[in-house]
Amino acid sequence: MEMREKLKIAIIIMGVIIFSINFLGIYQVSASSVDDIMQGADDFLKAGDSVSSKYTTMNMTALKSGSDMIYNVFLAVGTVIAVIIGLILGIQFIISAADEKAKIKEALIAYFIGCVVIFGAFTIWKVLVDIGNKF
């Protein structure tokens, strides 16, 4: 892969991450001063002593919806990138000469291994989230 192509892919990945962080509400800071931060920390530490605290239960619905949203965004981005790279490699394979086809076959092997790793990771993520939700 040429350096410009690698740079474009890196920029796209960084853009997706920044979009996810900023616009999908993954990371939120609500403290306005050091006193608020210290008070929040003290409240959190005291929460372990009382059963009726707001920190004792997790909102599993919000956790699952957030996980599903992140999963769907990354799966869509991974699928689009895999399809685009597959099309590029396929077109190069069709129009290339015999000696260049060997190099493209090596790239196709790496492409298929990458697809197995990416979609295998998404499958493992989904299975673990589903198992975790049952318990």
Side-chain angles (χ1 to χ4, degrees):
M1 220 187 250
E2 191 177 312
M3 186 64 172
R4 287 187 126 177
E5 292 174 357
K6 289 180 182 179
L7 182 62
K8 286 179 184 178
I9 291 172
I11 290 172
I12 290 170
I13 291 172
M14 293 289 281
V16 168
I17 292 171
I18 290 171
F19 174 78
S20 298
I21 290 172
N22 287 334
F23 296 110
L24 300 178
I26 296 171
Y27 180 72
Q28 297 175 354
V29 176
S30 61
S32 60
S33 68
V34 174
D35 291 333
D36 291 339
I37 294 171
M38 295 304 292
Q39 183 61 42
D42 290 337
D43 291 344
F44 180 77
L45 291 175
K46 291 176 187 174
D49 296 334
S50 66
V51 177
S52 64
S53 173
K54 67 179 181 178
Y55 296 109
T56 56
T57 59
M58 292 181 77
N59 187 351
M60 296 305 287
T61 307
L63 184 63
K64 181 170 177 9
S65 67
S67 175
D68 287 343
M69 180 193 52
I70 293 170
Y71 173 84
N72 290 333
V73 167
F74 285 144
L75 181 63
V77 169
T79 303
V80 168
I81 290 173
V83 167
I84 290 172
I85 292 174
L87 287 172
I88 291 170
L89 287 173
I91 291 170
Q92 285 179 346
F93 186 77
I94 290 170
I95 63 173
S96 66
D99 57 336
E100 294 174 359
K101 286 186 179 185
K103 293 178 184 177
I104 296 172
K105 284 182 182 178
E106 291 175 9
L108 280 172
I109 292 170
Y111 168 74
F112 286 124
I113 292 171
C115 285
V116 167
V117 169
I118 287 173
F119 295 115
F122 282 121
T123 302
I124 291 170
W125 179 2
K126 192 65 169 177
V127 167
L128 289 176
V129 167
D130 289 342
I131 290 172
N133 285 333
K134 290 181 182 176
F135 294 112

